[in-house]
Coordinates of all heavy atoms in Angstrom, one line a residue:
M139 N 0.8 -1.2 0.0 CA 0.0 0.0 0.0 C 0.9 1.2 0.0 O 1.8 1.4 0.8 CB -0.9 0.0 1.2 CG -1.7 1.3 1.4 SD -2.7 1.5 2.9 CE -3.7 0.1 2.8
L140 N 0.6 2.1 -0.9 CA 1.3 3.4 -1.0 C 0.6 4.3 0.0 O -0.6 4.5 0.0 CB 1.2 4.0 -2.4 CG 1.8 5.4 -2.6 CD1 3.3 5.4 -2.3 CD2 1.5 5.9 -4.0
V141 N 1.4 5.0 0.9 CA 0.9 5.9 1.9 C 1.4 7.3 1.6 O 2.7 7.5 1.5 CB 1.2 5.5 3.3 CG1 0.7 6.5 4.3 CG2 0.7 4.1 3.6
L142 N 0.5 8.3 1.4 CA 0.9 9.6 1.1 C 0.4 10.6 2.1 O -0.7 10.3 2.7 CB 0.4 10.0 -0.3 CG 0.8 9.1 -1.5 CD1 0.1 9.5 -2.7 CD2 2.3 9.3 -1.7
T143 N 1.1 11.7 2.3 CA 0.6 12.7 3.2 C 0.1 13.9 2.3 O 0.9 14.3 1.5 CB 1.7 13.2 4.2 OG1 2.1 12.0 4.9 CG2 1.2 14.3 5.1
R144 N -1.1 14.4 2.6 CA -1.6 15.5 1.8 C -2.3 16.4 2.8 O -2.8 16.0 3.8 CB -2.7 15.0 0.8 CG -2.2 14.1 -0.2 CD -1.5 14.7 -1.4 NE -0.2 15.2 -1.1 CZ 0.5 16.1 -1.8 NH1 0.0 16.6 -2.9 NH2 1.7 16.5 -1.5
R145 N -2.4 17.7 2.4 CA -3.1 18.7 3.2 C -4.3 19.1 2.4 O -4.4 18.8 1.2 CB -2.1 19.9 3.4 CG -1.0 19.6 4.3 CD -0.3 20.9 4.8 NE 0.5 20.5 5.9 CZ 1.9 20.5 5.9 NH1 2.5 20.9 4.7 NH2 2.6 20.2 6.9
P146 N -5.2 19.8 3.1 CA -6.4 20.3 2.4 C -6.0 21.0 1.1 O -5.1 21.8 1.0 CB -7.1 21.2 3.4 CG -6.7 20.6 4.7 CD -5.3 20.2 4.5
N147 N -6.8 20.8 0.0 CA -6.7 21.3 -1.3 C -5.5 20.8 -2.1 O -5.2 21.3 -3.1 CB -6.6 22.9 -1.3 CG -7.9 23.5 -0.7 OD1 -9.0 23.1 -1.1 ND2 -7.7 24.4 0.2
Q148 N -4.8 19.8 -1.6 CA -3.8 19.1 -2.3 C -4.4 17.8 -2.9 O -5.3 17.2 -2.4 CB -2.6 18.7 -1.4 CG -1.8 19.9 -0.9 CD -0.6 19.6 -0.1 OE1 -0.6 18.5 0.6 NE2 0.4 20.4 -0.2
S149 N -3.8 17.4 -4.0 CA -4.4 16.3 -4.8 C -3.4 15.1 -5.0 O -2.2 15.3 -4.9 CB -5.0 16.8 -6.1 OG -5.9 17.7 -5.9
I150 N -4.0 14.0 -5.5 CA -3.2 12.8 -5.9 C -3.8 12.4 -7.2 O -5.0 12.4 -7.4 CB -3.4 11.7 -4.9 CG1 -2.9 12.1 -3.5 CG2 -2.8 10.4 -5.4 CD1 -3.3 11.2 -2.4
M151 N -2.9 12.1 -8.2 CA -3.3 11.6 -9.5 C -3.2 10.1 -9.5 O -2.2 9.6 -9.1 CB -2.5 12.2 -10.6 CG -2.6 13.7 -10.8 SD -4.2 14.1 -11.6 CE -4.1 13.2 -13.1
I152 N -4.2 9.5 -10.1 CA -4.1 8.0 -10.3 C -4.4 7.7 -11.7 O -5.4 8.1 -12.3 CB -5.2 7.3 -9.4 CG1 -4.9 7.6 -7.9 CG2 -5.2 5.8 -9.7 CD1 -6.0 7.0 -7.0
G153 N -3.4 7.1 -12.4 CA -3.5 6.7 -13.8 C -3.8 7.8 -14.8 O -4.2 7.5 -15.9
G154 N -3.5 9.0 -14.4 CA -3.7 10.1 -15.4 C -5.1 10.6 -15.6 O -5.3 11.6 -16.3
N155 N -6.1 9.9 -15.1 CA -7.5 10.3 -15.3 C -8.4 10.3 -14.1 O -9.5 10.6 -14.1 CB -8.2 9.5 -16.4 CG -8.3 8.0 -16.0 OD1 -7.8 7.6 -15.0 ND2 -9.0 7.3 -16.9
V156 N -7.8 10.0 -12.9 CA -8.5 10.1 -11.6 C -7.7 11.0 -10.7 O -6.5 10.9 -10.5 CB -8.6 8.7 -11.0 CG1 -9.3 8.8 -9.6 CG2 -9.4 7.7 -11.9
V157 N -8.4 12.0 -10.2 CA -7.8 13.0 -9.3 C -8.6 12.9 -7.9 O -9.8 13.0 -7.9 CB -7.9 14.4 -9.8 CG1 -7.3 15.4 -8.8 CG2 -7.3 14.6 -11.2
I158 N -7.8 12.7 -6.9 CA -8.4 12.6 -5.5 C -7.8 13.9 -4.8 O -6.6 14.1 -4.7 CB -8.0 11.4 -4.8 CG1 -8.5 10.2 -5.5 CG2 -8.5 11.4 -3.3 CD1 -8.2 8.8 -5.0
T159 N -8.7 14.7 -4.3 CA -8.4 15.9 -3.6 C -8.8 15.9 -2.2 O -10.0 15.6 -1.9 CB -9.0 17.1 -4.3 OG1 -8.6 17.1 -5.7 CG2 -8.6 18.5 -3.7
V160 N -7.9 16.2 -1.2 CA -8.3 16.4 0.2 C -9.1 17.7 0.3 O -8.5 18.8 0.0 CB -7.1 16.4 1.1 CG1 -7.5 16.6 2.5 CG2 -6.4 15.0 1.0
L161 N -10.3 17.7 0.7 CA -11.1 18.9 0.8 C -11.1 19.5 2.2 O -11.0 20.7 2.3 CB -12.6 18.6 0.4 CG -12.8 18.0 -1.0 CD1 -14.3 17.7 -1.2 CD2 -12.4 19.0 -2.0
E162 N -11.1 18.6 3.2 CA -11.2 19.1 4.5 C -10.8 18.0 5.5 O -11.0 16.8 5.3 CB -12.6 19.5 4.8 CG -12.9 20.0 6.2 CD -14.4 20.4 6.4 OE1 -15.2 19.9 5.7 OE2 -14.7 21.1 7.4
V163 N -10.1 18.4 6.6 CA -9.7 17.5 7.7 C -10.4 18.1 8.9 O -10.1 19.2 9.3 CB -8.2 17.4 7.8 CG1 -7.9 16.5 9.0 CG2 -7.6 16.9 6.6
R164 N -11.2 17.3 9.5 CA -11.9 17.8 10.8 C -11.9 16.6 11.8 O -12.6 15.6 11.6 CB -13.3 18.1 10.4 CG -14.0 18.9 11.6 CD -15.5 19.2 11.3 NE -15.7 19.9 10.0 CZ -16.9 20.1 9.4 NH1 -17.9 19.6 10.0 NH2 -17.0 20.7 8.3
G165 N -11.0 16.8 12.8 CA -10.9 15.7 13.8 C -10.3 14.5 13.1 O -9.3 14.5 12.5
D166 N -11.0 13.4 13.3 CA -10.6 12.1 12.7 C -11.3 11.8 11.4 O -11.2 10.7 10.9 CB -10.8 10.9 13.7 CG -12.3 10.7 14.0 OD1 -13.1 11.5 13.7 OD2 -12.6 9.6 14.6
Q167 N -11.9 12.8 10.8 CA -12.6 12.6 9.5 C -11.9 13.4 8.4 O -11.4 14.5 8.7 CB -14.0 13.0 9.6 CG -14.9 12.1 10.4 CD -16.4 12.5 10.2 OE1 -16.7 13.6 9.9 NE2 -17.2 11.5 10.4
V168 N -11.8 12.8 7.3 CA -11.2 13.5 6.1 C -12.2 13.5 5.0 O -12.8 12.4 4.6 CB -9.9 12.7 5.6 CG1 -9.3 13.4 4.4 CG2 -8.9 12.7 6.8
R169 N -12.5 14.7 4.5 CA -13.4 14.8 3.3 C -12.6 14.8 2.0 O -11.6 15.6 2.0 CB -14.3 16.0 3.4 CG -15.3 15.9 4.5 CD -16.2 17.1 4.5 NE -17.1 17.1 3.3 CZ -17.5 18.1 2.7 NH1 -17.1 19.3 3.0 NH2 -18.2 18.0 1.6
I170 N -12.9 14.0 1.1 CA -12.1 13.9 -0.2 C -13.1 14.1 -1.3 O -14.3 13.8 -1.2 CB -11.3 12.6 -0.3 CG1 -12.3 11.4 -0.4 CG2 -10.3 12.5 0.7 CD1 -11.6 10.1 -0.8
G171 N -12.6 14.7 -2.4 CA -13.3 14.8 -3.6 C -12.6 13.9 -4.7 O -11.4 13.8 -4.7
I172 N -13.4 13.3 -5.5 CA -12.8 12.4 -6.5 C -13.4 12.8 -7.9 O -14.6 12.9 -8.1 CB -13.2 10.9 -6.3 CG1 -12.8 10.5 -4.9 CG2 -12.7 10.0 -7.4 CD1 -13.3 9.2 -4.4
K173 N -12.4 13.1 -8.8 CA -12.8 13.4 -10.2 C -12.3 12.2 -11.0 O -11.2 11.8 -11.0 CB -12.1 14.6 -10.7 CG -12.6 15.9 -10.2 CD -11.9 17.1 -10.9 CE -12.3 18.4 -10.3 NZ -11.5 19.5 -10.9
A174 N -13.3 11.5 -11.7 CA -13.0 10.3 -12.5 C -13.9 10.3 -13.7 O -15.0 10.8 -13.6 CB -13.1 9.1 -11.6
P175 N -13.5 9.6 -14.7 CA -14.4 9.5 -15.9 C -15.6 8.7 -15.5 O -15.6 7.9 -14.5 CB -13.5 8.7 -16.9 CG -12.1 8.8 -16.4 CD -12.2 9.0 -15.0
R176 N -16.7 8.9 -16.2 CA -18.0 8.2 -15.9 C -17.9 6.7 -15.9 O -18.6 6.0 -15.3 CB -19.1 8.7 -16.8 CG -19.5 10.1 -16.5 CD -20.8 10.4 -17.3 NE -21.3 11.7 -17.0 CZ -22.1 12.0 -16.0 NH1 -22.5 11.1 -15.2 NH2 -22.5 13.3 -15.8
D177 N -16.9 6.2 -16.7 CA -16.8 4.7 -16.9 C -16.0 4.1 -15.7 O -15.8 2.9 -15.7 CB -16.3 4.3 -18.2 CG -14.8 4.8 -18.4 OD1 -14.5 5.9 -17.9 OD2 -14.1 4.2 -19.2
V178 N -15.5 4.9 -14.8 CA -14.8 4.4 -13.6 C -15.7 4.4 -12.4 O -16.2 5.4 -12.0 CB -13.5 5.3 -13.3 CG1 -12.8 4.8 -12.1 CG2 -12.6 5.3 -14.5
D179 N -16.0 3.2 -11.9 CA -16.8 3.0 -10.7 C -16.0 3.5 -9.5 O -14.9 3.2 -9.3 CB -17.2 1.6 -10.5 CG -18.1 1.1 -11.5 OD1 -18.9 1.9 -12.1 OD2 -18.2 -0.2 -11.7
V180 N -16.7 4.4 -8.7 CA -16.1 4.9 -7.5 C -17.1 4.6 -6.3 O -18.3 5.1 -6.4 CB -15.8 6.4 -7.6 CG1 -15.3 6.9 -6.2 CG2 -14.9 6.7 -8.7
H181 N -16.7 3.8 -5.4 CA -17.6 3.4 -4.3 C -16.8 3.4 -3.0 O -15.6 3.1 -3.0 CB -18.2 2.0 -4.5 CG -19.0 1.9 -5.7 ND1 -20.3 2.3 -5.8 CD2 -18.7 1.3 -6.9 CE1 -20.8 2.0 -7.0 NE2 -19.8 1.4 -7.7
R182 N -17.5 3.7 -1.9 CA -16.8 3.4 -0.6 C -16.6 1.9 -0.4 O -17.4 1.1 -1.0 CB -17.7 4.0 0.6 CG -17.9 5.4 0.6 CD -18.6 5.9 1.8 NE -19.6 5.0 2.3 CZ -20.9 5.2 2.4 NH1 -21.4 6.3 1.9 NH2 -21.7 4.3 3.0
D183 N -15.6 1.5 0.3 CA -15.3 0.1 0.4 C -16.5 -0.7 0.9 O -16.8 -1.8 0.4 CB -14.1 0.0 1.4 CG -13.6 -1.5 1.5 OD1 -13.4 -2.1 0.4 OD2 -13.5 -2.0 2.6
E184 N -17.2 -0.2 1.9 CA -18.3 -1.0 2.5 C -19.5 -1.1 1.5 O -20.1 -2.1 1.4 CB -18.8 -0.4 3.8 CG -19.3 1.0 3.8 CD -18.3 2.1 3.9 OE1 -17.1 1.8 3.7 OE2 -18.7 3.2 4.1
V185 N -19.7 -0.1 0.7 CA -20.7 -0.2 -0.4 C -20.3 -1.2 -1.5 O -21.1 -2.0 -1.9 CB -20.9 1.2 -1.0 CG1 -21.9 1.2 -2.2 CG2 -21.5 2.2 0.1
W186 N -19.0 -1.1 -1.8 CA -18.5 -2.1 -2.8 C -18.7 -3.5 -2.4 O -19.1 -4.4 -3.2 CB -17.0 -1.8 -3.1 CG -16.4 -2.7 -4.1 CD1 -15.6 -3.7 -3.9 CD2 -16.6 -2.6 -5.5 NE1 -15.2 -4.3 -5.1 CE2 -15.9 -3.7 -6.1 CE3 -17.3 -1.8 -6.4 CZ2 -15.8 -3.9 -7.5 CZ3 -17.3 -2.1 -7.7 CH2 -16.6 -3.1 -8.3
A187 N -18.4 -3.8 -1.1 CA -18.6 -5.1 -0.6 C -20.0 -5.6 -0.6 O -20.3 -6.7 -1.0 CB -18.0 -5.2 0.8
E188 N -20.9 -4.7 -0.3 CA -22.4 -5.0 -0.4 C -22.8 -5.2 -1.8 O -23.6 -6.2 -2.1 CB -23.2 -3.9 0.2 CG -23.1 -3.8 1.7 CD -23.9 -2.6 2.3 OE1 -24.9 -2.2 1.6 OE2 -23.6 -2.2 3.4
L189 N -22.3 -4.4 -2.8 CA -22.7 -4.7 -4.2 C -22.2 -6.0 -4.7 O -22.9 -6.7 -5.4 CB -22.0 -3.6 -5.0 CG -22.7 -2.2 -5.0 CD1 -21.8 -1.2 -5.7 CD2 -24.1 -2.2 -5.6
Q190 N -20.9 -6.4 -4.3 CA -20.4 -7.7 -4.7 C -21.2 -8.8 -4.1 O -21.5 -9.8 -4.8 CB -18.9 -7.8 -4.3 CG -18.0 -6.8 -4.9 CD -18.1 -6.9 -6.4 OE1 -17.9 -8.0 -7.0 NE2 -18.3 -5.8 -7.1
E191 N -21.6 -8.7 -2.9 CA -22.4 -9.8 -2.2 C -23.8 -9.9 -2.9 O -24.3 -11.0 -3.2 CB -22.6 -9.5 -0.7 CG -23.4 -10.6 0.0 CD -22.8 -12.0 -0.2 OE1 -21.6 -12.2 -0.3 OE2 -23.6 -12.9 -0.3
A192 N -24.4 -8.7 -3.2 CA -25.7 -8.7 -3.9 C -25.6 -9.3 -5.3 O -26.5 -10.1 -5.7 CB -26.2 -7.3 -4.0
N193 N -24.5 -9.1 -6.0 CA -24.3 -9.7 -7.3 C -24.1 -11.2 -7.2 O -24.6 -11.9 -8.0 CB -23.1 -9.0 -8.0 CG -23.4 -7.6 -8.5 OD1 -24.5 -7.2 -8.7 ND2 -22.3 -6.8 -8.7
R194 N -23.3 -11.6 -6.2 CA -23.2 -13.1 -6.0 C -24.5 -13.7 -5.7 O -24.8 -14.8 -6.3 CB -22.2 -13.3 -4.9 CG -20.7 -13.3 -5.3 CD -19.8 -13.9 -4.3 NE -19.7 -13.0 -3.1 CZ -18.9 -11.9 -3.1 NH1 -18.1 -11.7 -4.1 NH2 -18.9 -11.2 -2.0
A195 N -25.3 -13.1 -4.9 CA -26.6 -13.7 -4.5 C -27.5 -13.7 -5.7 O -28.3 -14.7 -5.9 CB -27.2 -12.9 -3.3
A196 N -27.5 -12.7 -6.5 CA -28.4 -12.6 -7.7 C -28.0 -13.7 -8.7 O -28.8 -14.1 -9.5 CB -28.3 -11.2 -8.3
A197 N -26.7 -14.0 -8.8 CA -26.2 -15.0 -9.8 C -26.5 -16.4 -9.4 O -26.5 -17.3 -10.2 CB -24.7 -14.9 -9.9
L198 N -26.9 -16.7 -8.1 CA -27.2 -18.0 -7.7 C -28.6 -18.4 -8.1 O -29.5 -17.6 -8.0 CB -27.1 -18.2 -6.1 CG -25.7 -18.0 -5.5 CD1 -25.8 -18.0 -4.0 CD2 -24.8 -19.2 -6.0
P199 N -28.8 -19.6 -8.6 CA -30.2 -19.9 -9.1 C -31.1 -20.1 -7.8 O -30.7 -20.5 -6.8 CB -30.0 -21.3 -9.8 CG -28.7 -21.8 -9.3 CD -27.9 -20.6 -8.9
D200 N -32.4 -19.8 -8.0 CA -33.4 -20.0 -7.0 C -33.6 -21.5 -6.8 O -33.9 -22.2 -7.8 CB -34.7 -19.3 -7.4 CG -35.7 -19.4 -6.3 OD1 -35.7 -20.3 -5.5 OD2 -36.6 -18.5 -6.3
R201 N -33.4 -22.0 -5.7 CA -33.4 -23.5 -5.5 C -34.8 -24.1 -5.9 O -34.9 -25.1 -6.4 CB -33.1 -23.8 -4.0 CG -33.0 -25.3 -3.7 CD -31.7 -25.8 -4.4 NE -31.7 -27.2 -4.5 CZ -31.2 -27.9 -5.5 NH1 -30.5 -27.3 -6.4 NH2 -31.3 -29.2 -5.6
S202 N -35.9 -23.3 -5.6 CA -37.2 -23.9 -6.0 C -37.4 -24.0 -7.5 O -38.0 -24.9 -8.0 CB -38.3 -23.0 -5.3 OG -38.3 -21.7 -5.9
V203 N -36.8 -23.0 -8.2 CA -36.9 -23.1 -9.7 C -36.1 -24.3 -10.2 O -36.5 -25.0 -11.1 CB -36.3 -21.8 -10.3 CG1 -36.2 -21.9 -11.8 CG2 -37.3 -20.6 -9.9
V204 N -34.9 -24.5 -9.6 CA -34.1 -25.6 -10.1 C -34.8 -26.9 -9.8 O -34.9 -27.8 -10.6 CB -32.7 -25.6 -9.4 CG1 -31.9 -26.9 -9.6 CG2 -31.9 -24.4 -9.8
E205 N -35.4 -27.1 -8.6 CA -36.1 -28.3 -8.2 C -37.3 -28.5 -9.2 O -37.6 -29.6 -9.6 CB -36.6 -28.2 -6.8 CG -35.4 -28.4 -5.8 CD -35.8 -28.0 -4.4 OE1 -36.9 -27.6 -4.1 OE2 -34.9 -28.2 -3.5
G206 N -38.0 -27.4 -9.5 CA -39.1 -27.5 -10.4 C -38.7 -28.0 -11.8 O -39.4 -28.9 -12.4
L207 N -37.6 -27.5 -12.3 CA -37.1 -27.9 -13.6 C -36.7 -29.4 -13.5 O -36.9 -30.1 -14.5 CB -35.9 -27.0 -14.0 CG -36.3 -25.6 -14.4 CD1 -35.0 -24.8 -14.6 CD2 -37.1 -25.6 -15.7
E208 N -36.1 -29.8 -12.4 CA -35.7 -31.2 -12.3 C -36.9 -32.1 -12.3 O -36.9 -33.2 -12.9 CB -34.8 -31.4 -11.0 CG -33.4 -30.8 -11.1 CD -32.7 -30.9 -9.8 OE1 -33.3 -31.2 -8.8 OE2 -31.5 -30.6 -9.8
R209 N -38.0 -31.7 -11.6 CA -39.2 -32.5 -11.6 C -39.8 -32.6 -13.0 O -40.2 -33.7 -13.4 CB -40.2 -31.9 -10.7 CG -40.1 -32.3 -9.2 CD -41.3 -31.9 -8.4 NE -41.6 -30.5 -8.4 CZ -41.0 -29.6 -7.7 NH1 -40.1 -29.9 -6.8 NH2 -41.4 -28.3 -7.8
R210 N -39.8 -31.5 -13.7 CA -40.3 -31.5 -15.1 C -39.5 -32.4 -16.0 O -40.1 -33.2 -16.8 CB -40.4 -30.1 -15.7 CG -41.5 -29.3 -15.1 CD -41.6 -28.0 -15.7 NE -42.1 -28.1 -17.1 CZ -42.2 -27.2 -18.0 NH1 -41.7 -26.0 -17.7 NH2 -42.7 -27.4 -19.1
R211 N -38.2 -32.4 -15.8 CA -37.3 -33.2 -16.7 C -37.6 -34.7 -16.4 O -37.6 -35.5 -17.3 CB -35.9 -32.9 -16.4 CG -34.9 -33.6 -17.3 CD -33.4 -33.2 -17.1 NE -33.0 -33.4 -15.7 CZ -32.6 -34.5 -15.1 NH1 -32.5 -35.6 -15.9 NH2 -32.2 -34.6 -13.9
R212 N -37.8 -35.1 -15.1 CA -38.0 -36.5 -14.8 C -39.4 -36.9 -15.3 O -39.6 -38.1 -15.6 CB -37.9 -36.6 -13.3 CG -36.5 -36.6 -12.7 CD -36.4 -37.1 -11.3 NE -37.2 -36.2 -10.4 CZ -36.7 -35.2 -9.7 NH1 -35.4 -35.0 -9.7 NH2 -37.4 -34.5 -8.9
Q213 N -40.4 -36.0 -15.4 CA -41.7 -36.4 -15.8 C -41.8 -36.6 -17.3 O -42.7 -37.3 -17.8 CB -42.7 -35.3 -15.4 CG -42.9 -35.3 -13.9 CD -43.7 -34.1 -13.4 OE1 -44.1 -33.2 -14.2 NE2 -44.1 -34.1 -12.2
Q214 N -40.9 -36.0 -18.1 CA -41.0 -36.1 -19.5 C -40.5 -37.5 -20.0 O -39.4 -38.0 -19.5 CB -40.2 -35.0 -20.2 CG -40.8 -33.7 -20.0 CD -40.1 -32.6 -20.7 OE1 -39.1 -32.8 -21.4 NE2 -40.6 -31.4 -20.6
P215 N -41.2 -38.1 -20.9 CA -40.7 -39.4 -21.4 C -39.4 -39.2 -22.2 O -39.2 -38.2 -22.8 CB -41.8 -39.9 -22.3 CG -42.6 -38.7 -22.7 CD -42.4 -37.7 -21.5
D216 N -38.6 -40.3 -22.1 CA -37.3 -40.2 -22.9 C -37.7 -40.3 -24.4 O -38.5 -41.1 -24.8 CB -36.4 -41.4 -22.5 CG -35.9 -41.3 -21.1 OD1 -35.8 -40.1 -20.6 OD2 -35.6 -42.3 -20.5
A217 N -36.9 -39.5 -25.2 CA -37.2 -39.5 -26.6 C -36.2 -40.3 -27.3 O -35.1 -40.6 -26.9 CB -37.2 -38.1 -27.1

């Protein structure tokens, strides 16, 4: 992990098209601004983890649907 020290209104460039700017430091909170192209997803870590879990859950087949398809397959005569 690269660790950098920045002050308010100072920025960090990532890959030539993403700019992260420290907007404000107040106590133990840091406000940052992020400029990135629209095709670059920017999420807080905890939101990203929730999105990934939701995508995994959505990709799993509904067990009742799978069981119904298996029953239909067994009921059909062999051709």
